[in-house]
PDB file of all heavy atoms in Angstrom:
ATOM      1  N   GLY H 425       6.251  31.530 -33.077  1.00 90.00           N
ATOM      2  CA  GLY H 425       6.637  32.060 -31.774  1.00 90.00           C
ATOM      3  C   GLY H 425       7.228  31.068 -30.821  1.00 90.00           C
ATOM      4  O   GLY H 425       7.446  31.387 -29.653  1.00 90.00           O
ATOM      5  N   HIS H 426       7.497  29.833 -31.280  1.00 88.00           N
ATOM      6  CA  HIS H 426       8.082  28.834 -30.388  1.00 88.00           C
ATOM      7  C   HIS H 426       9.581  29.068 -30.222  1.00 88.00           C
ATOM      8  O   HIS H 426      10.269  29.505 -31.150  1.00 88.00           O
ATOM      9  CB  HIS H 426       7.841  27.414 -30.941  1.00 88.00           C
ATOM     10  CG  HIS H 426       6.406  27.048 -30.960  1.00 88.00           C
ATOM     11  ND1 HIS H 426       5.733  26.541 -29.893  1.00 88.00           N
ATOM     12  CD2 HIS H 426       5.498  27.087 -31.975  1.00 88.00           C
ATOM     13  CE1 HIS H 426       4.482  26.284 -30.205  1.00 88.00           C
ATOM     14  NE2 HIS H 426       4.315  26.616 -31.471  1.00 88.00           N
ATOM     15  N   LYS H 427      10.082  28.760 -29.017  1.00 89.00           N
ATOM     16  CA  LYS H 427      11.507  28.937 -28.746  1.00 89.00           C
ATOM     17  C   LYS H 427      12.290  27.718 -29.237  1.00 89.00           C
ATOM     18  O   LYS H 427      11.770  26.597 -29.253  1.00 89.00           O
ATOM     19  CB  LYS H 427      11.706  29.135 -27.244  1.00 89.00           C
ATOM     20  CG  LYS H 427      11.070  30.421 -26.696  1.00 89.00           C
ATOM     21  CD  LYS H 427      11.298  30.550 -25.235  1.00 89.00           C
ATOM     22  CE  LYS H 427      10.667  31.846 -24.715  1.00 89.00           C
ATOM     23  NZ  LYS H 427      10.846  32.008 -23.232  1.00 89.00           N
ATOM     24  N   PRO H 428      13.552  27.905 -29.608  1.00 87.00           N
ATOM     25  CA  PRO H 428      14.355  26.801 -30.127  1.00 87.00           C
ATOM     26  C   PRO H 428      14.423  25.573 -29.228  1.00 87.00           C
ATOM     27  O   PRO H 428      14.307  24.444 -29.709  1.00 87.00           O
ATOM     28  CB  PRO H 428      15.744  27.433 -30.307  1.00 87.00           C
ATOM     29  CG  PRO H 428      15.486  28.873 -30.550  1.00 87.00           C
ATOM     30  CD  PRO H 428      14.278  29.191 -29.688  1.00 87.00           C
ATOM     31  N   ALA H 429      14.573  25.785 -27.906  1.00 86.00           N
ATOM     32  CA  ALA H 429      14.666  24.645 -26.992  1.00 86.00           C
ATOM     33  C   ALA H 429      13.345  23.865 -26.955  1.00 86.00           C
ATOM     34  O   ALA H 429      13.335  22.635 -26.908  1.00 86.00           O
ATOM     35  CB  ALA H 429      15.010  25.121 -25.575  1.00 86.00           C
ATOM     36  N   GLN H 430      12.244  24.605 -27.010  1.00 88.00           N
ATOM     37  CA  GLN H 430      10.938  23.944 -27.016  1.00 88.00           C
ATOM     38  C   GLN H 430      10.736  23.163 -28.293  1.00 88.00           C
ATOM     39  O   GLN H 430      10.207  22.037 -28.288  1.00 88.00           O
ATOM     40  CB  GLN H 430       9.830  25.018 -26.866  1.00 88.00           C
ATOM     41  CG  GLN H 430       8.429  24.455 -26.885  1.00 88.00           C
ATOM     42  CD  GLN H 430       7.375  25.540 -26.859  1.00 88.00           C
ATOM     43  OE1 GLN H 430       7.664  26.702 -27.159  1.00 88.00           O
ATOM     44  NE2 GLN H 430       6.156  25.181 -26.537  1.00 88.00           N
ATOM     45  N   ILE H 431      11.177  23.736 -29.400  1.00 91.00           N
ATOM     46  CA  ILE H 431      11.051  23.068 -30.704  1.00 91.00           C
ATOM     47  C   ILE H 431      11.882  21.792 -30.719  1.00 91.00           C
ATOM     48  O   ILE H 431      11.426  20.752 -31.191  1.00 91.00           O
ATOM     49  CB  ILE H 431      11.480  24.012 -31.842  1.00 91.00           C
ATOM     50  CG1 ILE H 431      10.589  25.256 -31.862  1.00 91.00           C
ATOM     51  CG2 ILE H 431      11.410  23.302 -33.182  1.00 91.00           C
ATOM     52  CD1 ILE H 431      11.090  26.381 -32.744  1.00 91.00           C
ATOM     53  N   ARG H 432      13.089  21.863 -30.193  1.00 89.00           N
ATOM     54  CA  ARG H 432      13.944  20.683 -30.166  1.00 89.00           C
ATOM     55  C   ARG H 432      13.335  19.584 -29.323  1.00 89.00           C
ATOM     56  O   ARG H 432      13.385  18.405 -29.697  1.00 89.00           O
ATOM     57  CB  ARG H 432      15.329  21.046 -29.639  1.00 89.00           C
ATOM     58  CG  ARG H 432      16.234  19.839 -29.393  1.00 89.00           C
ATOM     59  CD  ARG H 432      17.693  20.210 -29.396  1.00 89.00           C
ATOM     60  NE  ARG H 432      18.128  20.526 -30.736  1.00 89.00           N
ATOM     61  CZ  ARG H 432      19.407  20.766 -31.049  1.00 89.00           C
ATOM     62  NH1 ARG H 432      20.332  20.735 -30.106  1.00 89.00           N
ATOM     63  NH2 ARG H 432      19.736  21.076 -32.283  1.00 89.00           N
ATOM     64  N   GLU H 433      12.732  19.918 -28.187  1.00 89.00           N
ATOM     65  CA  GLU H 433      12.092  18.929 -27.348  1.00 89.00           C
ATOM     66  C   GLU H 433      10.945  18.270 -28.067  1.00 89.00           C
ATOM     67  O   GLU H 433      10.747  17.064 -27.984  1.00 89.00           O
ATOM     68  CB  GLU H 433      11.603  19.583 -26.037  1.00 89.00           C
ATOM     69  CG  GLU H 433      10.773  18.648 -25.161  1.00 89.00           C
ATOM     70  CD  GLU H 433      11.475  17.371 -24.770  1.00 89.00           C
ATOM     71  OE1 GLU H 433      12.744  17.360 -24.707  1.00 89.00           O
ATOM     72  OE2 GLU H 433      10.778  16.358 -24.533  1.00 89.00           O
ATOM     73  N   LEU H 434      10.139  19.069 -28.821  1.00 89.00           N
ATOM     74  CA  LEU H 434       9.054  18.502 -29.599  1.00 89.00           C
ATOM     75  C   LEU H 434       9.596  17.550 -30.682  1.00 89.00           C
ATOM     76  O   LEU H 434       9.036  16.464 -30.907  1.00 89.00           O
ATOM     77  CB  LEU H 434       8.241  19.606 -30.282  1.00 89.00           C
ATOM     78  CG  LEU H 434       7.339  20.420 -29.369  1.00 89.00           C
ATOM     79  CD1 LEU H 434       6.792  21.651 -30.114  1.00 89.00           C
ATOM     80  CD2 LEU H 434       6.169  19.573 -28.851  1.00 89.00           C
ATOM     81  N   MET H 435      10.691  17.933 -31.322  1.00 91.00           N
ATOM     82  CA  MET H 435      11.325  17.090 -32.323  1.00 91.00           C
ATOM     83  C   MET H 435      11.804  15.793 -31.715  1.00 91.00           C
ATOM     84  O   MET H 435      11.516  14.678 -32.219  1.00 91.00           O
ATOM     85  CB  MET H 435      12.505  17.840 -32.944  1.00 91.00           C
ATOM     86  CG  MET H 435      13.371  17.021 -33.892  1.00 91.00           C
ATOM     87  SD  MET H 435      12.666  16.892 -35.528  1.00 91.00           S
ATOM     88  CE  MET H 435      13.939  15.855 -36.353  1.00 91.00           C
ATOM     89  N   TYR H 436      12.483  15.871 -30.566  1.00 90.00           N
ATOM     90  CA  TYR H 436      13.009  14.678 -29.931  1.00 90.00           C
ATOM     91  C   TYR H 436      11.892  13.781 -29.402  1.00 90.00           C
ATOM     92  O   TYR H 436      12.004  12.565 -29.365  1.00 90.00           O
ATOM     93  CB  TYR H 436      13.984  15.064 -28.808  1.00 90.00           C
ATOM     94  CG  TYR H 436      15.323  15.552 -29.291  1.00 90.00           C
ATOM     95  CD1 TYR H 436      15.511  15.876 -30.651  1.00 90.00           C
ATOM     96  CD2 TYR H 436      16.409  15.705 -28.457  1.00 90.00           C
ATOM     97  CE1 TYR H 436      16.751  16.325 -31.106  1.00 90.00           C
ATOM     98  CE2 TYR H 436      17.631  16.166 -28.886  1.00 90.00           C
ATOM     99  CZ  TYR H 436      17.794  16.462 -30.221  1.00 90.00           C
ATOM    100  OH  TYR H 436      19.027  16.904 -30.673  1.00 90.00           O
ATOM    101  N   GLU H 437      10.800  14.414 -28.975  1.00 88.00           N
ATOM    102  CA  GLU H 437       9.669  13.647 -28.492  1.00 88.00           C
ATOM    103  C   GLU H 437       9.106  12.764 -29.602  1.00 88.00           C
ATOM    104  O   GLU H 437       8.764  11.602 -29.425  1.00 88.00           O
ATOM    105  CB  GLU H 437       8.582  14.587 -27.978  1.00 88.00           C
ATOM    106  CG  GLU H 437       7.336  13.923 -27.479  1.00 88.00           C
ATOM    107  CD  GLU H 437       6.313  14.948 -26.988  1.00 88.00           C
ATOM    108  OE1 GLU H 437       6.658  15.678 -26.041  1.00 88.00           O
ATOM    109  OE2 GLU H 437       5.219  15.013 -27.561  1.00 88.00           O
ATOM    110  N   GLN H 438       9.025  13.342 -30.811  1.00 90.00           N
ATOM    111  CA  GLN H 438       8.507  12.585 -31.952  1.00 90.00           C
ATOM    112  C   GLN H 438       9.527  11.506 -32.361  1.00 90.00           C
ATOM    113  O   GLN H 438       9.129  10.432 -32.807  1.00 90.00           O
ATOM    114  CB  GLN H 438       8.234  13.526 -33.133  1.00 90.00           C
ATOM    115  CG  GLN H 438       7.048  14.439 -32.925  1.00 90.00           C
ATOM    116  CD  GLN H 438       5.775  13.680 -32.616  1.00 90.00           C
ATOM    117  OE1 GLN H 438       5.483  12.654 -33.243  1.00 90.00           O
ATOM    118  NE2 GLN H 438       5.053  14.123 -31.605  1.00 90.00           N
ATOM    119  N   ILE H 439      10.832  11.782 -32.232  1.00 91.00           N
ATOM    120  CA  ILE H 439      11.816  10.750 -32.504  1.00 91.00           C
ATOM    121  C   ILE H 439      11.683   9.583 -31.533  1.00 91.00           C
ATOM    122  O   ILE H 439      11.767   8.424 -31.922  1.00 91.00           O
ATOM    123  CB  ILE H 439      13.259  11.334 -32.432  1.00 91.00           C
ATOM    124  CG1 ILE H 439      13.498  12.290 -33.611  1.00 91.00           C
ATOM    125  CG2 ILE H 439      14.292  10.215 -32.473  1.00 91.00           C
ATOM    126  CD1 ILE H 439      14.862  12.983 -33.584  1.00 91.00           C
ATOM    127  N   ARG H 440      11.417   9.903 -30.243  1.00 89.00           N
ATOM    128  CA  ARG H 440      11.215   8.840 -29.260  1.00 89.00           C
ATOM    129  C   ARG H 440      10.002   7.994 -29.598  1.00 89.00           C
ATOM    130  O   ARG H 440      10.026   6.763 -29.483  1.00 89.00           O
ATOM    131  CB  ARG H 440      11.102   9.460 -27.871  1.00 89.00           C
ATOM    132  CG  ARG H 440      12.415   9.941 -27.246  1.00 89.00           C
ATOM    133  CD  ARG H 440      12.259  10.330 -25.799  1.00 89.00           C
ATOM    134  NE  ARG H 440      11.546  11.575 -25.618  1.00 89.00           N
ATOM    135  CZ  ARG H 440      12.129  12.768 -25.480  1.00 89.00           C
ATOM    136  NH1 ARG H 440      13.461  12.853 -25.515  1.00 89.00           N
ATOM    137  NH2 ARG H 440      11.432  13.859 -25.293  1.00 89.00           N
ATOM    138  N   GLU H 441       8.906   8.644 -30.029  1.00 85.00           N
ATOM    139  CA  GLU H 441       7.731   7.886 -30.440  1.00 85.00           C
ATOM    140  C   GLU H 441       8.015   7.016 -31.645  1.00 85.00           C
ATOM    141  O   GLU H 441       7.556   5.878 -31.752  1.00 85.00           O
ATOM    142  CB  GLU H 441       6.564   8.839 -30.770  1.00 85.00           C
ATOM    143  CG  GLU H 441       6.014   9.553 -29.543  1.00 85.00           C
ATOM    144  CD  GLU H 441       4.712  10.279 -29.832  1.00 85.00           C
ATOM    145  OE1 GLU H 441       3.931   9.799 -30.700  1.00 85.00           O
ATOM    146  OE2 GLU H 441       4.439  11.333 -29.227  1.00 85.00           O
ATOM    147  N   TRP H 442       8.829   7.572 -32.556  1.00 88.00           N
ATOM    148  CA  TRP H 442       9.233   6.818 -33.758  1.00 88.00           C
ATOM    149  C   TRP H 442      10.051   5.599 -33.367  1.00 88.00           C
ATOM    150  O   TRP H 442       9.843   4.498 -33.898  1.00 88.00           O
ATOM    151  CB  TRP H 442      10.028   7.784 -34.659  1.00 88.00           C
ATOM    152  CG  TRP H 442      10.529   7.249 -35.948  1.00 88.00           C
ATOM    153  CD1 TRP H 442       9.861   6.468 -36.851  1.00 88.00           C
ATOM    154  CD2 TRP H 442      11.826   7.471 -36.516  1.00 88.00           C
ATOM    155  NE1 TRP H 442      10.659   6.204 -37.941  1.00 88.00           N
ATOM    156  CE2 TRP H 442      11.851   6.810 -37.762  1.00 88.00           C
ATOM    157  CE3 TRP H 442      12.936   8.158 -36.080  1.00 88.00           C
ATOM    158  CZ2 TRP H 442      12.980   6.836 -38.573  1.00 88.00           C
ATOM    159  CZ3 TRP H 442      14.059   8.193 -36.907  1.00 88.00           C
ATOM    160  CH2 TRP H 442      14.089   7.531 -38.137  1.00 88.00           C
ATOM    161  N   LEU H 443      10.947   5.746 -32.409  1.00 84.00           N
ATOM    162  CA  LEU H 443      11.768   4.622 -31.933  1.00 84.00           C
ATOM    163  C   LEU H 443      10.881   3.542 -31.284  1.00 84.00           C
ATOM    164  O   LEU H 443      11.194   2.361 -31.389  1.00 84.00           O
ATOM    165  CB  LEU H 443      12.812   5.122 -30.918  1.00 84.00           C
ATOM    166  CG  LEU H 443      13.997   5.879 -31.507  1.00 84.00           C
ATOM    167  CD1 LEU H 443      14.761   6.566 -30.392  1.00 84.00           C
ATOM    168  CD2 LEU H 443      14.919   4.932 -32.271  1.00 84.00           C
TER     169      LEU H 443
END
Side-chain angles (χ1 to χ4, degrees):
H426 295 277
K427 296 180 180 179
Q430 180 186 16
I431 299 168
R432 171 158 290 186
E433 173 58 27
L434 286 170
M435 173 80 181
Y436 285 13
E437 179 180 299
Q438 291 303 316
I439 291 177
R440 285 190 286 266
E441 291 191 32
W442 181 44
L443 285 167

